[in-house]
Amino acid sequence: MNIDSIHNGFVIDHIKSGQGMVIYRLLHLEDLDCSIAIIKNAASSKMGKKDIIKIDANFHLDLDVLGYIDPDITINVIKDGQLTGKLHLELPERLTNVITCRNPRCITSVEQEIDHIFKLTDKENRIYRCVYCESKAKKQR
Ligand SMILES: [Zn+2]
């Protein structure tokens, strides 16, 4: 894989086509002032089309967010311009303040200070439910 221009950071690969921007938003990449490249609809022999995100910064990458989006995403760790490792993802059991509950009657809609916590209740279908009101999380697209 071509990791040019990344010296210390991450190349997030095998993102399903179209989900690059969802990840950008959920990881709050707009807050970073390093160079970031999003490649949309790259050709992939395995997937047909895929998105790739390259981030030239050694920041704390939230693996729960990425595991929630898609545990099949590959993360390449780049140090001094060399690929030094790959991180593997799992579906997280709990998500705290990653997604928000849409139920207007949920306590998280009423109380501003409360954490939005979702629990994985169905691993096979990747269903998350709010721990307070049990509302199903909407799929991120
Ligand atoms: Zn709720």
Side-chain angles (χ1 to χ4, degrees):
M1 191 185 48
N2 185 9
I3 54 167
D4 63 332
S5 77
I6 304 294
H7 302 294
N8 287 290
F10 304 97
V11 176
I12 306 172
D13 198 4
H14 300 115
I15 300 167
K16 281 198 190 79
S17 173
Q19 290 201 313
M21 285 313 290
V22 175
I23 290 171
Y24 184 89
R25 205 177 65 228
L26 285 181
L27 286 178
H28 303 290
L29 297 182
E30 72 275 11
D31 295 342
L32 297 176
D33 55 9
C34 64
S35 73
I36 298 171
I38 299 183
I39 298 142
K40 292 178 74 171
N41 302 326
S44 162
S45 49
K46 222 167 38 176
M47 304 167 69
K49 280 180 187 174
K50 64 177 181 181
D51 291 356
I52 303 166
I53 302 178
K54 299 179 181 186
I55 308 164
D56 198 13
N58 218 331
F59 71 115
H60 171 72
L61 193 60
D62 191 333
L63 298 181
D64 281 354
V65 170
L66 291 164
Y68 164 66
I69 300 282
D70 183 357
D72 297 327
I73 288 170
T74 316
I75 299 164
N76 302 288
V77 183
I78 315 298
K79 287 205 175 92
D80 298 322
Q82 304 286 323
L83 177 65
T84 59
K86 286 179 188 281
L87 302 178
H88 294 281
L89 297 171
E90 287 174 45
L91 270 185
E93 290 292 326
R94 263 167 101 85
L95 291 169
T96 304
N97 294 329
V98 175
I99 46 176
T100 53
C101 185
R102 304 292 179 92
N103 175 5
R105 282 191 296 261
C106 180
I107 186 160
T108 57
S109 303
V110 182
E111 305 244 357
Q112 301 285 307
E113 303 293 299
I114 211 159
D115 282 339
H116 288 253
I117 302 171
F118 281 79
K119 220 170 70 181
L120 181 63
T121 55
D122 180 347
K123 202 168 180 175
E124 208 164 306
N125 296 306
R126 297 183 188 175
I127 306 283
Y128 284 85
R129 285 181 190 277
C130 174
V131 298
Y132 307 102
C133 71
E134 308 219 315
S135 286
K136 231 199 253 182
K138 260 184 75 184
K139 274 259 169 291
Q140 300 287 323
R141 304 221 175 272

